[in-house]
């Protein structure tokens, strides 16, 4: 399937980096950079794109980079190569998160092709869902996908637990909306209509006036900050909370954060292949005391890495990405 020449390997590496750019990231900060040398791809965190107020430890930045790493791996496999990954290969270079060597592989399986086809199609949702439930067999498959990357996807079946997560999200959102530093940081990544920037959250990426969802309402980020930005919500159809879920890891080190990003992206791609969209709610996880509360009372002592809702939508929001030349070193 592939030409295993130096030129073919170099082209596969460049294609994998281009695919990595479509990974989800907090506020679409795209906090990564890449280097390609021969048959090796280097993934580095970009500290200039770190959220210093809401993400001082770099946990969300590392999760975002983990999602990009999964795209690299899936793309190489889809091209018939085998990615050999070393995570955190050099303790003296903390921003170097992973290296990937491009090795000869085999013909990709159907599932690899399925995931690869969704890399550029997947979108982050920021509103309600239709009343159509996510089928249980698909939920089970998503749990399996996350587990393949050492992540634990926990569907929240208890109404009480879902209400707790919704309440904590709302409380965190209210606190952050009154904190000047949080607000200024969010504003940096909120793009006004007509902006030519290729990062941040576009004005068409969220509803103008988010409607309350039922049975639980999860607070949305206020990217518009009083402006009439956004897209018109379909309040007639998309008013359901959807399926609430937590993504957790056994540990809570940088290695676990990177793996959490890989687990997240694998299950997102699988969900997208079956028409399921995902909305993220990380406000409560950005406040250490609330994250600890969630860990102790809702996660069986595992580390919560992501709060999300899953469901079906009518129309997807727009998305933008930087060019590969902007992230290649």
């Amino acid at each position: 399937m592939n030409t295993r020449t130096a030129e073919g390997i170099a082209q596969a590496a460049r294609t994998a980096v281009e695919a990595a750019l479509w990974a989800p990231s907090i506020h679409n900060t795209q906090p990564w950079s890449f280097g390609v040398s021969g048959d090796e791809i280097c993934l580095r965190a970009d500290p200039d794109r770190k959220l210093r107020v809401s993400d001082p430890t770099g946990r969300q930045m590392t999760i975002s980079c983990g999602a990009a790493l999964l795209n690299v791996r899936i793309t190489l496999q889809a091209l018939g190569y085998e990615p050999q990954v070393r995570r955190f290969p050099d303790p003296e270079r903390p921003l170097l998160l992973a290296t990937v060597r491009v090795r000869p592989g085999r013909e990709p399986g159907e599932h690899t092709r399925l995931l690869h086809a969704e890399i550029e199609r997947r979108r982050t949702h920021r509103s309600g869902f239709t009343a159509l439930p996510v089928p249980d067999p698909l939920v089970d498959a998503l749990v399996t996908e996350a587990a393949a990357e050492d992540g634990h996807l926990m569907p929240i079946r208890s109404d009480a637990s879902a209400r707790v997560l919704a309440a904590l999200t709302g409380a965190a959102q209210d606190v952050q909306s009154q904190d000047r530093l949080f607000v200024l940081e969010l504003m940096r990544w909120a793009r006004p209509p007509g902006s030519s920037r290729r990062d941040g959250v576009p004005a068409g990426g969220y509803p103008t006036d988010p409607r309350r969802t039922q049975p639980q309402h999860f607070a949305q980020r206020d990217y518009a900050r009083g402006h009439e930005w956004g897209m018109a919500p379909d309040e007639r159809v998309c008013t359901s909370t959807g399926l609430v879920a937590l993504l957790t890891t056994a540990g809570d080190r940088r290695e676990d954060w990177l793996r959490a990003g890989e687990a997240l992206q694998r299950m997102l791609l699988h969900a997208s292949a079956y028409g399921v969209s995902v909305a993220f709610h990380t406000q409560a996880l950005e406040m250490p005391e609330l994250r600890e509360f969630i860990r102790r009372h809702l996660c069986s002592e595992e580390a919560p890495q992501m709060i999300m809702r899953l469901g079906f939508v009518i129309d997807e929001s727009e998305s933008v990405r930087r060019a590969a030349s902007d992230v290649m070193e």
Side-chain angles (χ1 to χ4, degrees), residues 120-172:
E120 294 188 26
R121 296 176 187 166
R122 183 217 59 86
R123 295 289 184 271
T124 296
H125 190 61
R126 296 184 178 88
S127 188
F129 296 106
T130 68
L132 185 66
V134 182
D136 287 342
L138 179 53
V139 175
D140 292 341
L142 297 179
V143 171
T144 300
E145 292 295 319
E149 303 293 339
D150 294 334
H152 183 196
L153 182 67
M154 298 175 53
I156 304 300
R157 302 296 191 182
S158 162
D159 288 342
S161 295
R163 287 196 301 271
V164 169
L165 287 173
L168 293 175
T169 299

Side-chain angles (χ1 to χ4, degrees), residues 272-293:
S272 178
Y274 290 91
V276 172
S277 296
V278 180
F280 304 122
H281 298 275
T282 60
Q283 297 98 314
L285 301 183
E286 294 166 356
M287 305 186 72
E289 61 274 27
L290 296 186
R291 185 168 183 249
E292 176 63 14
F293 180 92

Side-chain angles (χ1 to χ4, degrees), residues 261-325:
E262 293 174 86
L264 175 67
Q265 181 66 346
R266 180 174 285 275
M267 60 82 52
L268 289 178
L269 293 177
H270 190 98
S272 178
Y274 290 91
V276 172
S277 296
V278 180
F280 304 122
H281 298 275
T282 60
Q283 297 98 314
L285 301 183
E286 294 166 356
M287 305 186 72
E289 61 274 27
L290 296 186
R291 185 168 183 249
E292 176 63 14
F293 180 92
I294 292 170
R295 183 189 70 81
R296 293 183 59 188
H297 296 285
L298 297 175
C299 296
S300 302
E301 298 293 330
E302 289 201 339
Q305 306 295 354
M306 187 66 65
I307 300 171
M308 68 189 85
R309 297 180 297 113
L310 300 86
F312 296 95
V313 301
I314 303 299
D315 297 310
E316 278 294 4
S317 60
E318 63 179 276
S319 183
V320 294
R321 291 296 186 276
R322 292 185 291 162
S325 58

Side-chain angles (χ1 to χ4, degrees), residues 26-290:
I26 179 70
H27 305 331
N28 197 23
T29 49
Q30 304 172 47
W32 44 62
S33 66
F34 295 88
V36 176
S37 177
D39 64 353
E40 185 177 78
I41 302 169
C42 295
L43 167 62
R44 303 180 184 88
D46 185 345
D48 292 336
R49 291 174 173 270
K50 176 182 173 182
L51 303 175
R52 302 187 183 281
V53 179
S54 58
D55 187 32
T57 64
R59 183 182 64 85
Q60 294 188 91
M61 176 180 68
T62 307
I63 290 174
S64 300
C65 290
L69 176 59
L70 192 281
N71 280 3
V72 168
R73 292 169 50 204
I74 291 293
T75 299
L76 290 175
Q77 290 171 345
L79 293 173
Y81 292 93
E82 181 62 31
Q84 292 187 353
V85 182
R86 293 181 63 203
R87 298 170 182 84
F88 300 97
D90 187 350
E92 301 299 318
R93 301 164 65 191
L95 294 179
L96 178 60
L97 303 185
T99 59
V100 182
R101 287 198 175 274
V102 184
R103 292 291 184 256
R106 57 187 177 182
E107 186 77 12
E110 181 180 354
H111 188 57
T112 295
R113 292 195 297 266
L114 178 84
L115 297 182
H116 180 252
E118 297 303 316
I119 287 177
E120 294 188 26
R121 296 176 187 166
R122 183 217 59 86
R123 295 289 184 271
T124 296
H125 190 61
R126 296 184 178 88
S127 188
F129 296 106
T130 68
L132 185 66
V134 182
D136 287 342
L138 179 53
V139 175
D140 292 341
L142 297 179
V143 171
T144 300
E145 292 295 319
E149 303 293 339
D150 294 334
H152 183 196
L153 182 67
M154 298 175 53
I156 304 300
R157 302 296 191 182
S158 162
D159 288 342
S161 295
R163 287 196 301 271
V164 169
L165 287 173
L168 293 175
T169 299
Q173 175 63 29
D174 285 343
V175 169
Q176 291 176 359
S177 67
Q178 299 178 71
D179 186 309
R180 180 174 176 273
L181 294 180
F182 267 100
V183 171
L184 289 175
E185 184 171 72
L186 187 68
M187 289 174 61
R188 178 189 174 192
W189 299 103
R191 295 173 51 240
S195 172
S196 61
R197 283 177 54 185
R198 306 301 298 174
D199 57 7
V201 179
Y206 50 86
T208 303
D209 184 17
R211 300 294 193 264
R212 293 189 65 84
T213 55
Q214 299 296 332
Q216 297 89 22
H217 178 68
F218 280 73
Q220 300 288 336
R221 304 275 192 181
D222 185 9
Y223 290 105
R225 296 301 301 170
H227 299 285
E228 294 184 357
W229 299 348
M231 58 182 179
D234 193 339
E235 58 187 279
R236 299 167 300 167
V237 178
C238 297
T239 59
S240 172
T241 304
L243 173 66
V244 180
L246 281 162
L247 179 68
T248 68
T249 53
D252 200 24
R253 302 172 301 167
R254 296 180 71 217
E255 292 82 355
D256 300 297
W257 302 343
L258 192 68
R259 292 294 281 169
E262 293 174 86
L264 175 67
Q265 181 66 346
R266 180 174 285 275
M267 60 82 52
L268 289 178
L269 293 177
H270 190 98
S272 178
Y274 290 91
V276 172
S277 296
V278 180
F280 304 122
H281 298 275
T282 60
Q283 297 98 314
L285 301 183
E286 294 166 356
M287 305 186 72
E289 61 274 27
L290 296 186

